[in-house]
Amino acid sequence: MPHANYLFTSESVSEGHPDKVCDQISDAVLDAFITKDIELGIAEQSLVNTRLGCETLCTTNKIIVAGEGRGQLFRKIGNKAVVDREVITQIARDVVKDIGYDQEGFSYHGADVEVLLHGQSPDIAMGVDAKKKKHGEEEGAGDQGMMFGFACTESEVYEKNSFMPAPIYFAHKILKVLADKRRSGQLFDLQPDAKSQVTVRYVNGKPVGCTKVVVSTQHNEKSRNGKKYTPGIVKDMIASAVESALPKGWMPQRPSDFLVNPTGNFVVGGPDGDCGLTGRKIIVDTYGGYAPHGGGAFSGKDPTKVDRSAAYAARYLAKNVVAAGLAERCTIQLAYAIGVAEPMSVLVDTHGTGKVEEKKLEKVLPELFRLTPTNIRRTLKLNRPIYRRTSAYGHFGRAPEKDGGFSWERTDLADQLKRSLR
């Protein structure tokens, strides 16, 4: 039997966290490749568009961009595909500058950038390249693996249309509010690196408030009047911003339940304080541990990589099931084999909250939305430069954007889904 009354904790990390710096660089590189495809009018051509698996490592004044790919930022030298290193270097510097790093140990202009991107393996390319199928050309999946999508109604009373677990949603929101105030100059002594952790109390399965909130945020050593910062001063400085990110009455009232920089000062941060790597915050990226994750990271991967595109598709379908009123909670699992277009399996679990049989959903969902990499890419319009914005503050629970960003957060399939199940 599931617990009715319990505590659940999720964490988030800011755009200046070392791992998130790396995610953003990898996704900015992907955006640059796709932008070039669009300029040349080839973004939708399966045999020539971008393929990319871009990994980034950041440490003290060092950025390494590595991986494999195919696209218009590569050029042929003999039999080798060589990337334009100057372009990639500038992309990395621009991302670091935008995040706000200009420190002695890590700055946008002082960091050494090494670019080690090489051409995609022909064996992988052969499996992914589109082949003629009964529905037209179909790309094969870029790798094997399983992907999960999840949605729930629990936070709808507080945040309409998020369909997300409350702990991760509000952990993200706290850091986004702090980042916006840092960028605007309202909290000018904060620096980019930060983490949050939110513990939510559930009563009868519904979130009712926070029992603990933890924020660790990088800051200047001294204020502009020369006063040295302490955790208590930083706590007073950010308390109202943190409270504004939570539903009314959720902010813990006891001082011991709101912790800020609990180890002491946080002056040395970002990649100078801790090495960062692409893909190391996958639970932050998805559901905060509240729902399963298949294991694959997202950032730096083009939409033929089902680690990313199929996870977006699974979220899209789960969200539409819940938005259609067919369940209060829905988990969808997909599985793929490299080079094969159709998924190996589709599983729907409504956790005892469903109003229709799960087997019916497993039959109808793939009929309404074909789960091949090509259809996912085209229907969700994933061949657009929309990826860097996903790489901080979560890939899910965000509002769909006019240019196609976060298209997997739309609920435009809900009505058709209801009609199909009458």
Side-chain angles (χ1 to χ4, degrees), residues 85-163:
R85 287 177 167 78
E86 289 185 7
V87 170
I88 304 302
T89 296
Q90 192 58 51
I91 290 169
R93 294 196 189 283
D94 289 346
V95 169
V96 174
K97 182 179 182 180
D98 180 64
I99 292 169
Y101 278 117
D102 188 12
Q103 303 167 0
E104 183 179 348
F106 193 73
S107 74
Y108 69 92
H109 55 83
D112 176 51
V113 182
E114 190 171 356
V115 179
L116 302 173
L117 283 169
H118 61 80
Q120 184 179 45
S121 158
D123 294 340
I124 294 175
M126 180 175 60
V128 177
D129 284 343
K131 301 173 181 63
K132 290 288 186 182
K133 304 285 185 181
K134 67 177 181 178
H135 295 283
E137 282 194 346
E138 290 284 5
E139 295 155 310
D143 203 351
Q144 72 173 46
M146 66 283 191
M147 301 83 211
F148 289 91
F150 178 76
C152 61
T153 59
E154 66 172 49
S155 61
E156 285 304 285
V157 66
Y158 305 109
E159 299 287 337
K160 208 69 179 165
N161 298 318
S162 72
F163 293 99

Side-chain angles (χ1 to χ4, degrees), residues 37 42-43 45-51 70 139 377 383:
D37 287 349
I42 60 172
Q45 296 179 30
S46 302
L47 293 176
V48 294
N49 61 3
T50 288
R51 305 280 170 76
R70 179 184 82 182
E139 295 155 310
R377 175 170 61 83
N383 272 87

Side-chain angles (χ1 to χ4, degrees), residues 30-224:
L30 175 60
D31 283 347
F33 270 86
I34 293 175
T35 297
K36 197 70 175 174
D37 287 349
I38 292 171
E39 290 172 356
L40 296 172
I42 60 172
E44 294 300 328
Q45 296 179 30
S46 302
L47 293 176
V48 294
N49 61 3
T50 288
R51 305 280 170 76
L52 195 67
C54 180
E55 315 292 344
T56 304
L57 178 148
C58 290
T59 187
T60 302
N61 274 330
K62 182 76 173 181
I63 301 170
I64 299 173
V65 182
E68 52 79 30
R70 179 184 82 182
Q72 303 307 309
L73 295 181
F74 283 97
R75 64 183 186 275
K76 278 280 191 181
I77 296 182
N79 292 324
K80 289 189 175 181
V82 179
V83 77
D84 190 327
R85 287 177 167 78
E86 289 185 7
V87 170
I88 304 302
T89 296
Q90 192 58 51
I91 290 169
R93 294 196 189 283
D94 289 346
V95 169
V96 174
K97 182 179 182 180
D98 180 64
I99 292 169
Y101 278 117
D102 188 12
Q103 303 167 0
E104 183 179 348
F106 193 73
S107 74
Y108 69 92
H109 55 83
D112 176 51
V113 182
E114 190 171 356
V115 179
L116 302 173
L117 283 169
H118 61 80
Q120 184 179 45
S121 158
D123 294 340
I124 294 175
M126 180 175 60
V128 177
D129 284 343
K131 301 173 181 63
K132 290 288 186 182
K133 304 285 185 181
K134 67 177 181 178
H135 295 283
E137 282 194 346
E138 290 284 5
E139 295 155 310
D143 203 351
Q144 72 173 46
M146 66 283 191
M147 301 83 211
F148 289 91
F150 178 76
C152 61
T153 59
E154 66 172 49
S155 61
E156 285 304 285
V157 66
Y158 305 109
E159 299 287 337
K160 208 69 179 165
N161 298 318
S162 72
F163 293 99
M164 286 289 285
I168 187 65
Y169 186 87
F170 292 112
H172 287 320
K173 193 173 180 182
I174 286 170
L175 294 184
K176 189 65 170 65
V177 168
L178 291 176
D180 289 345
K181 291 184 179 296
R182 170 179 66 84
R183 287 174 173 274
S184 72
Q186 292 176 269
L187 294 174
F188 50 80
D189 276 334
L190 295 187
Q191 291 294 318
D193 196 358
K195 299 177 83 170
S196 66
Q197 186 170 284
V198 173
T199 300
V200 173
R201 182 165 67 95
Y202 287 76
V203 175
N204 295 323
K206 305 293 183 184
V208 297
C210 291
T211 62
K212 303 279 184 182
V213 173
V214 183
V215 177
S216 294
T217 181
Q218 187 187 12
H219 56 83
N220 291 334
E221 186 174 9
K222 295 180 180 179
S223 67
R224 293 186 180 181

Side-chain angles (χ1 to χ4, degrees), residues 236-262:
D236 291 341
M237 181 169 62
I238 70 170
S240 62
V242 172
E243 186 170 7
S244 73
L246 298 171
K248 187 175 181 179
W250 276 40
M251 186 72 174
Q253 297 304 304
R254 294 189 307 176
S256 60
D257 293 336
F258 175 39
L259 305 178
V260 175
N261 291 357

